[in-house]
Amino acid sequence: MAEKTYVEDIDRSMYDFRYDEKDAYRIEEGLDPSIVEQISREKNDPEWMHDFRMKSLEIYNHTKMPDWGPSIEGLDMAHIATYVRPNTRMANDWDAVPEEIKDTFERLGIPQAERKSLAGVGAQYDSELVYHNVQDFAEKLGVVYSDIESALRGPYADMIKDHFMKLVPPTDHKFAALHGAVWSGGSFVYVPKGVHLEIPLQSYFRLNAKGAGQFEHTLIIVEDDAYLHFIEGCSAPKYNVANLHAGCVELFVGKNSTLRYSTIENWSKNMYNLNTKRALVQEGGKIEWVSGSFGSHVSYLYPMSVLAGRGASSEFTGVTFAGHGQNLDTGCKVVHNAPDTTSVVNTRSISKSGGISTFRSAVVINPQAKNSKSSTSCQSLMLDSESRSDTIPAMDVKTQQADVGHEAKIGRISDDAVFYLMSRGLPEDDARALIVSGFADNVGKELPLEYAVEMNNLIRLEMKGTNG
Amino acid sequence: MNMTLNRLPSITWYWLKMNNGFMEGVDPAGGAEIKDQIPAGVEKSVLSMADLPEQQTGMGKDMTTLVTESKPQVQVYTADRDKEVSDPVVLNFDYQAGKRAVNAVFLKAQRGAAVTVVEDFASGQDAEGFAAVQTRYLVETGATLKIIQIQRLGSGYTFLNDIGGRVEDQGRIEMIHLVLDGGHTYLGVQSDLAGYQASLKADIGYRVKGEGTLDINYFANHTGKKTTCDIDAKGVLRDQAKKVFRGTIDLKKGSSGSVGNEKEDVLMMDDTVRNQTLPVILCTEEDVVGNHGATIGRLDENTLFYLESRGMEKEAVYEMMADARVASVVHLIDSQTVRENVENYLAQNLDRNLSE
């Protein structure tokens, strides 16, 4: 009798290690005005940012919890510490980073990656950046890559003020408001007009503290005729209490520019990942989202592209792997606000061992978006009957002069494909492993080689089976 | 009462305003006259709402409350066991201008029966009014029930068309919905594919024009093993028309071997129309296949260019293509009499639209 093919959970051992919060400063748990005041003082905020935080808290208190997605009942803000500062100052030399923190990032391969294939690296540990560096050649091109707090007080202060939470206002949803109130850390990137940065920048976010939240803010401004590839990675050790990640990413893509934003998300399975990402794309510009969602207990993650200029375009390529104890609600939103805009969405999701994967999307073509085109394809693979896989794609078309297509498929591993591969000489186990790996390859092939390898290691689809 | 209608089984972002329809201030009302033609092999009877088997419908609880509070006599049509009824049951709903009406119908195909029921909802061309119909059905083992709904209501009519039913082992429900005219239409359908190899085939053809709206919620609920559904919607939007289509295939745990397909093809004929489409698949079973697809757009430029080059006016091309889109669903009607009746109606409409 044939044994049912078993697909292993993602091997998290390389991410699941932790250090004590030795000498760290930890704000008390909960959320009230005094805590927000305290964070603002700790951050030495300019006055406008202090006021912004307080206003955001007010909005948070009056905004309802979302009831359309996965349950977040297990998240109790009264038991979340919204600010944990490691006992170090930000460095631009790994040797100046405390040993335990440096060791953390070395085990995650960040310094090695920086040496090999990155133009700059930012590394955040709990609520603060602990390392930030940009290579000389990128600096000479005029590329700015810094922590956002420094940028708030430096020559780019006005630019930050003009852009901070303008794309994702605190009124957007409850966790955008929370972010506005307690944000800390994150990166600011500025790419001047005409600069093509061929080598990526990377930020890595590590949440080490138990029962804490991470609220980093990423603000990227790519001026006209420029190019940037930004890579974001995140992970955390697993605890038996809830952790929260409510980051915010705001991307401004200038005329005829391209920004590729790649994310490999591998939070631990006690994490509530309620992250918001949004891009505003001007005439002829392009945003490319590459997104791998593997971790967290609950995810709400839908990068949004606002195509504001004529001929702007977006591509979203994503893979989501939901295993035991995970409810990952992922997808994207695209708003076509200008003529001749195009969007392409291509996603895969895999559910196993009771995991729940939901693809949720919205494509909105507004009346002014004449001659726009949008195409969405989402495929889901169910690996057992304990799991769940849903697709909920919405399309709202407000002009006749648009072409919108959508296709979706949910199913299991095709017996025909297995048979074909076996007829070419592959054992059944290998055939099934190949199919599952290939299913998720839409993201892998969009990543730089080093990261594609990391992603494949991350998935580790180990197949086991015998022929009957 | 205020009514939430056609709520999506699995809701999404509120800002899209696509999760459900909503009506304010709807009061219970008496029933409209139903003129029926009943062939041999079908029995007619009357029940109260309380006598009907429990059944969820596509439009939801508020609709059932409205119908229950209206206390209609439920018209029951039962096809005899193992009887293949060749002529259709025809139910003509005669809606008067300025009136309000709430009706309930229960269709039952007993074990091994095969029967077609035509529900023809009609009023004067520009009539105003409010009509609500709840049609429930039960398809017993090995039976086939075909429901053909033809809607040709006045441009001032608001129409709530609610359906819910259950299909048992190897039973089959086929539905054709033709929304040809009307003001504001809500169509809600829930089919519980509960039996082994139970199947659903649904074809929806619509043409919404003027300031008309169409709000559809179609729900195929797969609980039986090896169940199948095919939902195919084709439509045309003209003038300032708005339409939302929610189609859900729910492949529940235990429905192994099931296949669900749905697709929608929307032709947007004017720049002031709005189309919302939400094709959902929910899946808690491994051994199943679910597919959905949607294409939304304008008339193919090459087709338009060709027909204009053959001397046709652009507006005539549009009308002809709109007519052809709906006609492709009309052609699926088996009964020649019914089909010709609808084709004549479409032809008259086409002539009128071309002469305007």
Side-chain angles (χ1 to χ4, degrees), chain B residues 82-344:
Chain B
D82 295 324
K83 179 82 178 174
E84 193 167 322
V85 184
S86 53
D87 292 329
V89 177
V90 179
L91 309 179
N92 287 300
F93 292 72
D94 186 15
Y95 293 119
Q96 302 297 312
K99 300 284 188 184
R100 301 180 71 258
V102 177
N103 289 81
V105 173
F106 181 49
L107 308 174
K108 185 174 179 182
Q110 291 188 318
R111 178 184 282 263
V115 64
T116 300
V117 178
V118 178
E119 292 183 310
D120 193 349
F121 310 107
S123 75
Q125 192 186 328
D126 297 317
E128 293 182 4
F130 171 84
V133 178
Q134 187 173 76
T135 304
R136 298 196 199 179
Y137 68 82
L138 174 63
V139 179
E140 292 187 347
T141 299
T144 299
L145 172 62
K146 295 182 182 179
I147 300 174
I148 299 166
Q149 294 193 317
I150 304 155
Q151 180 188 325
R152 31 192 166 185
L153 292 167
S155 55
Y157 244 93
T158 295
F159 184 44
L160 276 52
N161 180 7
D162 186 28
I163 300 176
R166 172 185 168 89
V167 187
E168 297 182 341
D169 289 353
Q170 296 180 317
R172 182 170 177 79
I173 177 76
E174 293 184 15
M175 284 182 268
I176 295 173
H177 310 274
L178 292 164
V179 181
L180 306 178
D181 277 310
H184 302 292
T185 300
Y186 296 84
L187 169 64
V189 181
Q190 175 168 337
S191 288
D192 293 336
L193 302 172
Y196 174 73
Q197 288 186 340
S199 64
L200 159 70
K201 182 175 187 296
D203 290 281
I204 306 159
Y206 59 83
R207 178 195 163 108
V208 191
K209 62 184 181 181
E211 294 181 347
T213 61
L214 173 61
D215 185 305
I216 301 174
N217 185 42
Y218 226 99
F219 180 33
N221 187 26
H222 293 253
T223 55
K225 290 187 192 308
K226 295 198 172 180
T227 51
T228 58
C229 83
D230 285 285
I231 301 167
D232 192 352
K234 288 178 188 164
V236 182
L237 303 177
R238 290 227 63 173
D239 308 322
Q240 293 86 42
K242 292 177 182 167
K243 184 234 78 188
V244 55
F245 175 81
R246 306 174 195 88
T248 300
I249 296 171
D250 191 354
L251 297 154
K252 289 208 164 80
K253 191 171 171 66
S255 64
S256 57
S258 294
V259 178
N261 296 302
E262 65 174 313
K263 61 178 178 177
E264 195 193 15
D265 193 359
V266 188
L267 197 51
M268 300 174 75
M269 291 278 201
D270 291 292
D271 208 26
T272 41
V273 299
R274 180 173 184 180
N275 176 78
Q276 295 178 308
T277 297
L278 225 166
V280 174
I281 303 179
L282 310 175
C283 180
T284 43
E285 172 61 53
E286 176 205 10
D287 180 19
V288 293
V289 176
N291 296 299
H292 63 65
T295 54
I296 301 154
R298 56 196 145 176
L299 194 58
D300 174 57
E301 282 178 7
N302 292 332
T303 306
L304 184 61
F305 177 77
Y306 173 76
L307 291 170
E308 282 187 303
S309 73
R310 310 301 289 178
M312 287 183 74
E313 295 288 331
K314 190 173 180 179
E315 187 60 22
V317 174
Y318 274 24
E319 284 300 325
M320 192 180 77
M321 297 307 288
D323 186 71
R325 182 68 59 113
V326 176
S328 68
V329 181
V330 175
H331 290 161
L332 300 172
I333 299 173
D334 290 336
S335 163
Q336 188 180 349
T337 314
V338 176
R339 192 174 60 247
E340 285 178 357
N341 182 309
V342 178
E343 283 171 346
N344 289 339

Side-chain angles (χ1 to χ4, degrees), chain A residues 4 67-68 360 370-371 385 388-391 393 395-397 399-400 402 404-410 412, chain B residues 11 13-14 253 268-271 274-277 279 281-283 285-286 290-294 296 298:
Chain A
K4 191 167 180 60
D67 64 355
W68 43 265
R360 191 184 300 273
K370 309 293 181 210
N371 299 312
S385 285
R388 180 179 183 103
S389 184
D390 297 340
T391 66
M395 288 155 274
D396 189 355
V397 185
T399 174
Q400 173 214 23
V404 178
H406 175 90
E407 60 176 28
K409 184 180 173 80
I410 289 180
R412 59 175 184 164
Chain B
I11 60 169
W13 296 298
Y14 289 99
K253 191 171 171 66
M268 300 174 75
M269 291 278 201
D270 291 292
D271 208 26
R274 180 173 184 180
N275 176 78
Q276 295 178 308
T277 297
I281 303 179
L282 310 175
C283 180
E285 172 61 53
E286 176 205 10
N291 296 299
H292 63 65
I296 301 154
R298 56 196 145 176

Side-chain angles (χ1 to χ4, degrees), chain A residues 19-25 85-88 99-101 125 208:
Chain A
Y19 292 101
D20 293 337
E21 291 171 48
K22 202 166 55 178
D23 302 326
Y25 170 80
R85 186 185 63 220
N87 185 25
T88 180
E99 203 56 40
E100 287 178 358
I101 296 176
Y125 195 80
N208 180 69

